[in-house]
Amino acid sequence: MNAVPTPVAPYRRVPASHGASWWAQGWRSFLRAPWAWAGLSVALVVCSVILHKLPMGGALAQWLSMPMFTLGAVFASVLRRRWARARSITPEGLAAEADNEGALGESSRQWSSRLGTLLLASLLVLLSIAAVLLVLALALSLIFGVGLMHMEAIGHMMEASPGAVVAGIGMGTGAMILGALLVLAALLACSVAFWFVGTLVALGGLGAWDAIRLSARAAFANLGALVVFTLLLIPLGIVATLPAGLGWLVLLPMISGASYASYDDVFGAPAPTYRAAPPGLDA
């Protein structure tokens, strides 16, 4: 049965500590279907390698990265729904056993039904990032231009005041460091603003531009949780890279599961309270 995107509720503000709990939920999502997740990770890596070998492969890989990554979030959503159903019909005291047969196919059908909108959303995101970087580049070029003119004027005074040259060099170095920090801040701000776009399209059923606008509002309203999530990604990424990069076969599914967990936390319905079914009740 094809899954239908659920209506998007108004976003919530969650505590910063939820950024860590998203990782925990991503790990639990991986444990529910580890072999399927590993297969998806391998497929993602292979597709990325093939894309980079094509003409303009880097641009293609960037354009397709959001749709491909969103498939993992949809799969995590399907696994979560099946686990919740199994939990609701399992007598108290027994471990829930979800039937994940066909879960990947169900996820693929739901994802493919939104693929066109995902591709459009990914294109709009890339254009938005390019526009932000272009404006920043123009501002930095103006700053550097003024700085270089100032250093040239100082150079003419070299014989009279050698210390002024040192000061000018220091100003130029400071401007370069400032520029690098501004570019990094802009990229981080964009990554935060567009964090929910894929899940809002695939799971929320929104259009591309509506998803981008809502993602930006919700993401900055939950900046603390996203900062905690990002900070935890750094050590996890280092650990995943150590065993010849094989740890990314686990980390990539965790990121997908955490992506769905963050969407569900911020946009989903309040978590239901499950009651144990009476013994002997069939599914």
Side-chain angles (χ1 to χ4, degrees), residues 17-35 37 75-81 83 96 98 100 250-251 253-262 264-265 271:
S17 60
H18 284 210
S21 69
W22 298 341
W23 280 114
Q25 292 181 62
W27 171 246
R28 288 194 292 269
S29 177
F30 171 75
L31 292 179
R32 286 172 188 142
W35 292 112
W37 275 122
F75 185 45
S77 169
V78 171
L79 293 177
R80 170 66 180 177
R81 289 199 306 267
W83 178 87
N100 290 325
V250 176
L251 186 56
M254 287 180 62
I255 295 175
S256 294
S259 174
Y260 168 69
S262 65
D264 190 52
D265 196 15

mmCIF file of all heavy atoms in Angstrom, residues 17-35 37 75-81 83 96 98 100 250-251 253-262 264-265 271:
data_model
loop_
_atom_site.group_PDB
_atom_site.id
_atom_site.type_symbol
_atom_site.label_atom_id
_atom_site.label_comp_id
_atom_site.label_asym_id
_atom_site.label_seq_id
_atom_site.Cartn_x
_atom_site.Cartn_y
_atom_site.Cartn_z
ATOM 1 N N SER A 17 18.881 19.959 23.965
ATOM 2 C CA SER A 17 19.293 18.580 24.262
ATOM 3 C C SER A 17 18.690 17.568 23.292
ATOM 4 O O SER A 17 19.193 16.453 23.160
ATOM 5 C CB SER A 17 18.901 18.215 25.695
ATOM 6 O OG SER A 17 17.494 18.320 25.879
ATOM 7 N N HIS A 18 17.607 17.938 22.602
ATOM 8 C CA HIS A 18 16.999 17.016 21.650
ATOM 9 C C HIS A 18 17.928 16.720 20.474
ATOM 10 O O HIS A 18 17.758 15.704 19.793
ATOM 11 C CB HIS A 18 15.672 17.579 21.138
ATOM 12 C CG HIS A 18 14.564 17.454 22.126
ATOM 13 N ND1 HIS A 18 13.245 17.300 21.766
ATOM 14 C CD2 HIS A 18 14.573 17.455 23.476
ATOM 15 C CE1 HIS A 18 12.484 17.223 22.853
ATOM 16 N NE2 HIS A 18 13.280 17.321 23.898
ATOM 17 N N GLY A 19 18.909 17.614 20.225
ATOM 18 C CA GLY A 19 19.870 17.333 19.166
ATOM 19 C C GLY A 19 20.626 16.049 19.413
ATOM 20 O O GLY A 19 20.972 15.319 18.474
ATOM 21 N N ALA A 20 20.896 15.725 20.699
ATOM 22 C CA ALA A 20 21.565 14.472 21.044
ATOM 23 C C ALA A 20 20.598 13.295 20.923
ATOM 24 O O ALA A 20 20.984 12.205 20.470
ATOM 25 C CB ALA A 20 22.132 14.556 22.457
ATOM 26 N N SER A 21 19.343 13.500 21.309
ATOM 27 C CA SER A 21 18.370 12.400 21.239
ATOM 28 C C SER A 21 18.075 12.018 19.789
ATOM 29 O O SER A 21 17.741 10.865 19.507
ATOM 30 C CB SER A 21 17.078 12.781 21.968
ATOM 31 O OG SER A 21 16.377 13.794 21.270
ATOM 32 N N TRP A 22 18.214 12.955 18.854
ATOM 33 C CA TRP A 22 18.032 12.600 17.440
ATOM 34 C C TRP A 22 19.069 11.574 17.006
ATOM 35 O O TRP A 22 18.753 10.658 16.239
ATOM 36 C CB TRP A 22 18.126 13.845 16.553
ATOM 37 C CG TRP A 22 17.064 14.868 16.831
ATOM 38 C CD1 TRP A 22 15.873 14.669 17.495
ATOM 39 C CD2 TRP A 22 17.100 16.245 16.470
ATOM 40 N NE1 TRP A 22 15.169 15.848 17.559
ATOM 41 C CE2 TRP A 22 15.892 16.828 16.941
ATOM 42 C CE3 TRP A 22 18.021 17.060 15.820
ATOM 43 C CZ2 TRP A 22 15.610 18.184 16.752
ATOM 44 C CZ3 TRP A 22 17.738 18.396 15.625
ATOM 45 C CH2 TRP A 22 16.541 18.948 16.084
ATOM 46 N N TRP A 23 20.291 11.722 17.484
ATOM 47 C CA TRP A 23 21.322 10.731 17.170
ATOM 48 C C TRP A 23 20.962 9.370 17.754
ATOM 49 O O TRP A 23 21.155 8.330 17.104
ATOM 50 C CB TRP A 23 22.671 11.177 17.714
ATOM 51 C CG TRP A 23 23.374 12.182 16.869
ATOM 52 C CD1 TRP A 23 23.663 13.487 17.189
ATOM 53 C CD2 TRP A 23 23.881 11.983 15.552
ATOM 54 N NE1 TRP A 23 24.318 14.094 16.156
ATOM 55 C CE2 TRP A 23 24.471 13.202 15.138
ATOM 56 C CE3 TRP A 23 23.907 10.893 14.686
ATOM 57 C CZ2 TRP A 23 25.068 13.357 13.891
ATOM 58 C CZ3 TRP A 23 24.495 11.045 13.437
ATOM 59 C CH2 TRP A 23 25.065 12.261 13.047
ATOM 60 N N ALA A 24 20.441 9.366 18.992
ATOM 61 C CA ALA A 24 20.047 8.100 19.618
ATOM 62 C C ALA A 24 18.950 7.417 18.810
ATOM 63 O O ALA A 24 18.972 6.191 18.603
ATOM 64 C CB ALA A 24 19.594 8.344 21.051
ATOM 65 N N GLN A 25 17.995 8.194 18.328
ATOM 66 C CA GLN A 25 16.919 7.610 17.524
ATOM 67 C C GLN A 25 17.445 7.139 16.168
ATOM 68 O O GLN A 25 16.953 6.154 15.609
ATOM 69 C CB GLN A 25 15.811 8.642 17.345
ATOM 70 C CG GLN A 25 15.088 8.968 18.643
ATOM 71 C CD GLN A 25 13.974 9.982 18.438
ATOM 72 O OE1 GLN A 25 13.023 9.734 17.711
ATOM 73 N NE2 GLN A 25 14.092 11.139 19.086
ATOM 74 N N GLY A 26 18.433 7.853 15.623
ATOM 75 C CA GLY A 26 19.046 7.398 14.381
ATOM 76 C C GLY A 26 19.731 6.050 14.545
ATOM 77 O O GLY A 26 19.668 5.193 13.658
ATOM 78 N N TRP A 27 20.372 5.849 15.699
ATOM 79 C CA TRP A 27 21.015 4.561 15.984
ATOM 80 C C TRP A 27 19.981 3.453 16.113
ATOM 81 O O TRP A 27 20.153 2.355 15.570
ATOM 82 C CB TRP A 27 21.842 4.681 17.257
ATOM 83 C CG TRP A 27 22.373 3.380 17.775
ATOM 84 C CD1 TRP A 27 22.033 2.769 18.940
ATOM 85 C CD2 TRP A 27 23.348 2.524 17.154
ATOM 86 N NE1 TRP A 27 22.721 1.589 19.095
ATOM 87 C CE2 TRP A 27 23.537 1.407 18.007
ATOM 88 C CE3 TRP A 27 24.061 2.588 15.967
ATOM 89 C CZ2 TRP A 27 24.420 0.381 17.697
ATOM 90 C CZ3 TRP A 27 24.935 1.550 15.648
ATOM 91 C CH2 TRP A 27 25.115 0.471 16.519
ATOM 92 N N ARG A 28 18.874 3.735 16.806
ATOM 93 C CA ARG A 28 17.824 2.720 16.943
ATOM 94 C C ARG A 28 17.209 2.395 15.596
ATOM 95 O O ARG A 28 16.858 1.239 15.320
ATOM 96 C CB ARG A 28 16.757 3.216 17.927
ATOM 97 C CG ARG A 28 17.213 3.214 19.370
ATOM 98 C CD ARG A 28 16.042 3.371 20.319
ATOM 99 N NE ARG A 28 15.441 4.689 20.229
ATOM 100 C CZ ARG A 28 15.806 5.724 20.987
ATOM 101 N NH1 ARG A 28 16.786 5.603 21.860
ATOM 102 N NH2 ARG A 28 15.195 6.884 20.859
ATOM 103 N N SER A 29 17.066 3.395 14.733
ATOM 104 C CA SER A 29 16.534 3.151 13.389
ATOM 105 C C SER A 29 17.454 2.218 12.609
ATOM 106 O O SER A 29 16.987 1.312 11.906
ATOM 107 C CB SER A 29 16.375 4.484 12.647
ATOM 108 O OG SER A 29 15.926 4.271 11.328
ATOM 109 N N PHE A 30 18.759 2.415 12.739
ATOM 110 C CA PHE A 30 19.713 1.532 12.057
ATOM 111 C C PHE A 30 19.573 0.094 12.552
ATOM 112 O O PHE A 30 19.612 -0.857 11.755
ATOM 113 C CB PHE A 30 21.140 2.029 12.282
ATOM 114 C CG PHE A 30 22.190 1.068 11.807
ATOM 115 C CD1 PHE A 30 22.460 0.923 10.462
ATOM 116 C CD2 PHE A 30 22.902 0.289 12.722
ATOM 117 C CE1 PHE A 30 23.425 0.024 10.018
ATOM 118 C CE2 PHE A 30 23.867 -0.599 12.290
ATOM 119 C CZ PHE A 30 24.124 -0.737 10.937
ATOM 120 N N LEU A 31 19.415 -0.095 13.862
ATOM 121 C CA LEU A 31 19.326 -1.438 14.429
ATOM 122 C C LEU A 31 18.069 -2.173 13.976
ATOM 123 O O LEU A 31 18.031 -3.407 14.013
ATOM 124 C CB LEU A 31 19.357 -1.365 15.958
ATOM 125 C CG LEU A 31 20.675 -0.902 16.585
ATOM 126 C CD1 LEU A 31 20.547 -0.868 18.100
ATOM 127 C CD2 LEU A 31 21.833 -1.798 16.159
ATOM 128 N N ARG A 32 17.040 -1.464 13.552
ATOM 129 C CA ARG A 32 15.800 -2.123 13.130
ATOM 130 C C ARG A 32 15.949 -2.823 11.785
ATOM 131 O O ARG A 32 15.199 -3.753 11.495
ATOM 132 C CB ARG A 32 14.659 -1.101 13.076
ATOM 133 C CG ARG A 32 14.173 -0.690 14.463
ATOM 134 C CD ARG A 32 13.185 0.449 14.407
ATOM 135 N NE ARG A 32 12.896 0.926 15.763
ATOM 136 C CZ ARG A 32 12.711 2.192 16.093
ATOM 137 N NH1 ARG A 32 12.774 3.134 15.163
ATOM 138 N NH2 ARG A 32 12.455 2.544 17.341
ATOM 139 N N ALA A 33 16.891 -2.379 10.941
ATOM 140 C CA ALA A 33 17.104 -3.039 9.642
ATOM 141 C C ALA A 33 18.535 -2.787 9.197
ATOM 142 O O ALA A 33 18.779 -2.099 8.198
ATOM 143 C CB ALA A 33 16.110 -2.504 8.614
ATOM 144 N N PRO A 34 19.530 -3.335 9.917
ATOM 145 C CA PRO A 34 20.935 -2.984 9.637
ATOM 146 C C PRO A 34 21.403 -3.368 8.236
ATOM 147 O O PRO A 34 22.140 -2.610 7.607
ATOM 148 C CB PRO A 34 21.713 -3.745 10.718
ATOM 149 C CG PRO A 34 20.786 -4.819 11.201
ATOM 150 C CD PRO A 34 19.412 -4.269 11.052
ATOM 151 N N TRP A 35 20.973 -4.537 7.735
ATOM 152 C CA TRP A 35 21.458 -4.956 6.423
ATOM 153 C C TRP A 35 20.868 -4.102 5.304
ATOM 154 O O TRP A 35 21.559 -3.766 4.339
ATOM 155 C CB TRP A 35 21.148 -6.433 6.202
ATOM 156 C CG TRP A 35 21.943 -7.328 7.099
ATOM 157 C CD1 TRP A 35 21.473 -8.090 8.125
ATOM 158 C CD2 TRP A 35 23.364 -7.515 7.070
ATOM 159 N NE1 TRP A 35 22.505 -8.750 8.748
ATOM 160 C CE2 TRP A 35 23.680 -8.422 8.123
ATOM 161 C CE3 TRP A 35 24.392 -7.027 6.281
ATOM 162 C CZ2 TRP A 35 24.982 -8.826 8.381
ATOM 163 C CZ3 TRP A 35 25.691 -7.423 6.537
ATOM 164 C CH2 TRP A 35 25.978 -8.316 7.571
ATOM 165 N N TRP A 37 19.938 -1.011 5.650
ATOM 166 C CA TRP A 37 20.607 0.281 5.769
ATOM 167 C C TRP A 37 22.005 0.224 5.153
ATOM 168 O O TRP A 37 22.420 1.160 4.448
ATOM 169 C CB TRP A 37 20.723 0.698 7.232
ATOM 170 C CG TRP A 37 19.537 1.385 7.807
ATOM 171 C CD1 TRP A 37 18.795 1.006 8.883
ATOM 172 C CD2 TRP A 37 18.958 2.617 7.353
ATOM 173 N NE1 TRP A 37 17.791 1.916 9.121
ATOM 174 C CE2 TRP A 37 17.875 2.905 8.206
ATOM 175 C CE3 TRP A 37 19.249 3.497 6.311
ATOM 176 C CZ2 TRP A 37 17.073 4.045 8.055
ATOM 177 C CZ3 TRP A 37 18.456 4.632 6.152
ATOM 178 C CH2 TRP A 37 17.388 4.901 7.014
ATOM 179 N N PHE A 75 12.727 5.968 4.553
ATOM 180 C CA PHE A 75 12.862 4.598 5.040
ATOM 181 C C PHE A 75 12.813 4.558 6.566
ATOM 182 O O PHE A 75 12.174 3.689 7.155
ATOM 183 C CB PHE A 75 14.182 4.009 4.533
ATOM 184 C CG PHE A 75 14.384 2.560 4.873
ATOM 185 C CD1 PHE A 75 13.361 1.633 4.710
ATOM 186 C CD2 PHE A 75 15.603 2.108 5.341
ATOM 187 C CE1 PHE A 75 13.548 0.291 5.020
ATOM 188 C CE2 PHE A 75 15.813 0.771 5.654
ATOM 189 C CZ PHE A 75 14.779 -0.138 5.490
ATOM 190 N N ALA A 76 13.479 5.510 7.212
ATOM 191 C CA ALA A 76 13.432 5.586 8.671
ATOM 192 C C ALA A 76 12.007 5.826 9.157
ATOM 193 O O ALA A 76 11.580 5.277 10.180
ATOM 194 C CB ALA A 76 14.352 6.702 9.168
ATOM 195 N N SER A 77 11.261 6.628 8.407
ATOM 196 C CA SER A 77 9.863 6.894 8.770
ATOM 197 C C SER A 77 9.026 5.621 8.693
ATOM 198 O O SER A 77 8.215 5.332 9.580
ATOM 199 C CB SER A 77 9.285 7.961 7.828
ATOM 200 O OG SER A 77 7.888 8.070 7.980
ATOM 201 N N VAL A 78 9.228 4.846 7.627
ATOM 202 C CA VAL A 78 8.478 3.591 7.473
ATOM 203 C C VAL A 78 8.827 2.614 8.586
ATOM 204 O O VAL A 78 7.944 1.974 9.187
ATOM 205 C CB VAL A 78 8.760 2.973 6.088
ATOM 206 C CG1 VAL A 78 8.162 1.570 5.991
ATOM 207 C CG2 VAL A 78 8.184 3.860 4.988
ATOM 208 N N LEU A 79 10.115 2.488 8.905
ATOM 209 C CA LEU A 79 10.529 1.599 9.994
ATOM 210 C C LEU A 79 9.911 2.037 11.317
ATOM 211 O O LEU A 79 9.477 1.202 12.116
ATOM 212 C CB LEU A 79 12.055 1.580 10.105
ATOM 213 C CG LEU A 79 12.824 0.950 8.940
ATOM 214 C CD1 LEU A 79 14.321 1.079 9.176
ATOM 215 C CD2 LEU A 79 12.433 -0.514 8.761
ATOM 216 N N ARG A 80 9.889 3.333 11.553
ATOM 217 C CA ARG A 80 9.321 3.857 12.794
ATOM 218 C C ARG A 80 7.830 3.544 12.887
ATOM 219 O O ARG A 80 7.341 3.122 13.944
ATOM 220 C CB ARG A 80 9.538 5.363 12.861
ATOM 221 C CG ARG A 80 8.795 6.081 13.977
ATOM 222 C CD ARG A 80 9.295 5.686 15.340
ATOM 223 N NE ARG A 80 8.563 6.381 16.386
ATOM 224 C CZ ARG A 80 8.747 6.180 17.680
ATOM 225 N NH1 ARG A 80 9.647 5.303 18.089
ATOM 226 N NH2 ARG A 80 8.044 6.848 18.568
ATOM 227 N N ARG A 81 7.089 3.707 11.795
ATOM 228 C CA ARG A 81 5.656 3.420 11.809
ATOM 229 C C ARG A 81 5.401 1.936 12.075
ATOM 230 O O ARG A 81 4.490 1.578 12.836
ATOM 231 C CB ARG A 81 5.017 3.840 10.484
ATOM 232 C CG ARG A 81 4.911 5.334 10.271
ATOM 233 C CD ARG A 81 3.882 5.672 9.201
ATOM 234 N NE ARG A 81 4.129 4.967 7.952
ATOM 235 C CZ ARG A 81 4.839 5.458 6.952
ATOM 236 N NH1 ARG A 81 5.403 6.635 7.071
ATOM 237 N NH2 ARG A 81 4.988 4.775 5.842
ATOM 238 N N TRP A 83 7.404 -0.145 13.645
ATOM 239 C CA TRP A 83 7.741 -0.446 15.036
ATOM 240 C C TRP A 83 6.630 0.029 15.971
ATOM 241 O O TRP A 83 6.262 -0.680 16.923
ATOM 242 C CB TRP A 83 9.055 0.223 15.415
ATOM 243 C CG TRP A 83 9.419 -0.003 16.850
ATOM 244 C CD1 TRP A 83 10.097 -1.049 17.370
ATOM 245 C CD2 TRP A 83 9.066 0.843 17.954
ATOM 246 N NE1 TRP A 83 10.212 -0.923 18.730
ATOM 247 C CE2 TRP A 83 9.584 0.235 19.123
ATOM 248 C CE3 TRP A 83 8.389 2.048 18.073
ATOM 249 C CZ2 TRP A 83 9.433 0.798 20.389
ATOM 250 C CZ3 TRP A 83 8.229 2.609 19.327
ATOM 251 C CH2 TRP A 83 8.759 1.987 20.467
ATOM 252 N N ALA A 96 8.695 -5.947 21.297
ATOM 253 C CA ALA A 96 7.993 -5.703 20.038
ATOM 254 C C ALA A 96 8.816 -6.236 18.876
ATOM 255 O O ALA A 96 10.026 -6.036 18.809
ATOM 256 C CB ALA A 96 7.722 -4.219 19.865
ATOM 257 N N ALA A 98 8.742 -5.941 14.920
ATOM 258 C CA ALA A 98 8.124 -5.339 13.738
ATOM 259 C C ALA A 98 8.428 -6.169 12.492
ATOM 260 O O ALA A 98 9.513 -6.730 12.358
ATOM 261 C CB ALA A 98 8.641 -3.917 13.552
ATOM 262 N N ASN A 100 9.409 -5.975 8.965
ATOM 263 C CA ASN A 100 9.979 -4.996 8.049
ATOM 264 C C ASN A 100 10.050 -5.498 6.608
ATOM 265 O O ASN A 100 10.672 -4.849 5.764
ATOM 266 C CB ASN A 100 11.389 -4.609 8.519
ATOM 267 C CG ASN A 100 11.348 -3.790 9.785
ATOM 268 O OD1 ASN A 100 10.441 -2.997 9.989
ATOM 269 N ND2 ASN A 100 12.330 -3.998 10.662
ATOM 270 N N VAL A 250 27.555 2.859 8.664
ATOM 271 C CA VAL A 250 26.650 2.958 9.806
ATOM 272 C C VAL A 250 26.246 4.405 10.059
ATOM 273 O O VAL A 250 25.086 4.701 10.366
ATOM 274 C CB VAL A 250 27.307 2.371 11.075
ATOM 275 C CG1 VAL A 250 26.411 2.558 12.289
ATOM 276 C CG2 VAL A 250 27.620 0.898 10.872
ATOM 277 N N LEU A 251 27.201 5.321 9.899
ATOM 278 C CA LEU A 251 26.911 6.721 10.214
ATOM 279 C C LEU A 251 25.906 7.329 9.243
ATOM 280 O O LEU A 251 25.033 8.115 9.650
ATOM 281 C CB LEU A 251 28.204 7.541 10.224
ATOM 282 C CG LEU A 251 28.062 8.997 10.684
ATOM 283 C CD1 LEU A 251 27.436 9.069 12.071
ATOM 284 C CD2 LEU A 251 29.404 9.703 10.655
ATOM 285 N N PRO A 253 23.326 5.850 7.653
ATOM 286 C CA PRO A 253 21.978 5.518 8.117
ATOM 287 C C PRO A 253 21.583 6.245 9.392
ATOM 288 O O PRO A 253 20.423 6.626 9.550
ATOM 289 C CB PRO A 253 22.056 3.999 8.349
ATOM 290 C CG PRO A 253 23.134 3.533 7.458
ATOM 291 C CD PRO A 253 24.141 4.634 7.436
ATOM 292 N N MET A 254 22.537 6.444 10.297
ATOM 293 C CA MET A 254 22.222 7.181 11.520
ATOM 294 C C MET A 254 21.811 8.616 11.200
ATOM 295 O O MET A 254 20.882 9.158 11.810
ATOM 296 C CB MET A 254 23.421 7.170 12.467
ATOM 297 C CG MET A 254 23.666 5.838 13.150
ATOM 298 S SD MET A 254 25.099 5.896 14.250
ATOM 299 C CE MET A 254 24.558 7.130 15.450
ATOM 300 N N ILE A 255 22.500 9.228 10.242
ATOM 301 C CA ILE A 255 22.132 10.596 9.851
ATOM 302 C C ILE A 255 20.735 10.609 9.248
ATOM 303 O O ILE A 255 19.925 11.500 9.532
ATOM 304 C CB ILE A 255 23.163 11.159 8.857
ATOM 305 C CG1 ILE A 255 24.528 11.303 9.533
ATOM 306 C CG2 ILE A 255 22.705 12.503 8.310
ATOM 307 C CD1 ILE A 255 25.634 11.730 8.590
ATOM 308 N N SER A 256 20.427 9.609 8.414
ATOM 309 C CA SER A 256 19.081 9.535 7.823
ATOM 310 C C SER A 256 18.021 9.350 8.894
ATOM 311 O O SER A 256 16.981 10.021 8.885
ATOM 312 C CB SER A 256 19.015 8.379 6.816
ATOM 313 O OG SER A 256 19.850 8.621 5.709
ATOM 314 N N GLY A 257 18.271 8.427 9.828
ATOM 315 C CA GLY A 257 17.316 8.212 10.910
ATOM 316 C C GLY A 257 17.181 9.433 11.791
ATOM 317 O O GLY A 257 16.073 9.781 12.225
ATOM 318 N N ALA A 258 18.299 10.115 12.046
ATOM 319 C CA ALA A 258 18.248 11.331 12.862
ATOM 320 C C ALA A 258 17.511 12.447 12.130
ATOM 321 O O ALA A 258 16.832 13.269 12.751
ATOM 322 C CB ALA A 258 19.661 11.771 13.216
ATOM 323 N N SER A 259 17.653 12.500 10.806
ATOM 324 C CA SER A 259 16.937 13.496 10.016
ATOM 325 C C SER A 259 15.425 13.315 10.172
ATOM 326 O O SER A 259 14.683 14.289 10.385
ATOM 327 C CB SER A 259 17.324 13.378 8.545
ATOM 328 O OG SER A 259 16.545 14.226 7.738
ATOM 329 N N TYR A 260 14.975 12.059 10.073
ATOM 330 C CA TYR A 260 13.544 11.819 10.286
ATOM 331 C C TYR A 260 13.144 12.122 11.723
ATOM 332 O O TYR A 260 12.084 12.706 11.968
ATOM 333 C CB TYR A 260 13.172 10.378 9.951
ATOM 334 C CG TYR A 260 11.786 10.047 10.449
ATOM 335 C CD1 TYR A 260 10.670 10.637 9.856
ATOM 336 C CD2 TYR A 260 11.592 9.210 11.547
ATOM 337 C CE1 TYR A 260 9.401 10.386 10.333
ATOM 338 C CE2 TYR A 260 10.319 8.955 12.028
ATOM 339 C CZ TYR A 260 9.228 9.543 11.424
ATOM 340 O OH TYR A 260 7.977 9.310 11.903
ATOM 341 N N ALA A 261 13.989 11.743 12.685
ATOM 342 C CA ALA A 261 13.673 11.998 14.097
ATOM 343 C C ALA A 261 13.529 13.485 14.359
ATOM 344 O O ALA A 261 12.623 13.913 15.093
ATOM 345 C CB ALA A 261 14.758 11.403 14.991
ATOM 346 N N SER A 262 14.400 14.306 13.763
ATOM 347 C CA SER A 262 14.298 15.753 13.964
ATOM 348 C C SER A 262 13.025 16.300 13.336
ATOM 349 O O SER A 262 12.348 17.153 13.915
ATOM 350 C CB SER A 262 15.520 16.448 13.362
ATOM 351 O OG SER A 262 15.562 16.303 11.953
ATOM 352 N N ASP A 264 10.206 14.626 12.832
ATOM 353 C CA ASP A 264 9.080 14.161 13.632
ATOM 354 C C ASP A 264 8.985 14.927 14.948
ATOM 355 O O ASP A 264 7.889 15.218 15.424
ATOM 356 C CB ASP A 264 9.237 12.664 13.909
ATOM 357 C CG ASP A 264 7.992 12.053 14.523
ATOM 358 O OD1 ASP A 264 6.900 12.239 13.955
ATOM 359 O OD2 ASP A 264 8.108 11.394 15.569
ATOM 360 N N ASP A 265 10.135 15.274 15.513
ATOM 361 C CA ASP A 265 10.165 16.009 16.771
ATOM 362 C C ASP A 265 9.628 17.418 16.601
ATOM 363 O O ASP A 265 8.893 17.936 17.444
ATOM 364 C CB ASP A 265 11.601 16.054 17.288
ATOM 365 C CG ASP A 265 11.703 16.447 18.751
ATOM 366 O OD1 ASP A 265 10.660 16.419 19.465
ATOM 367 O OD2 ASP A 265 12.809 16.785 19.206
ATOM 368 N N ALA A 271 3.787 12.472 20.447
ATOM 369 C CA ALA A 271 3.976 11.024 20.538
ATOM 370 C C ALA A 271 2.789 10.367 21.227
ATOM 371 O O ALA A 271 2.372 10.800 22.302
ATOM 372 C CB ALA A 271 5.250 10.713 21.306
#
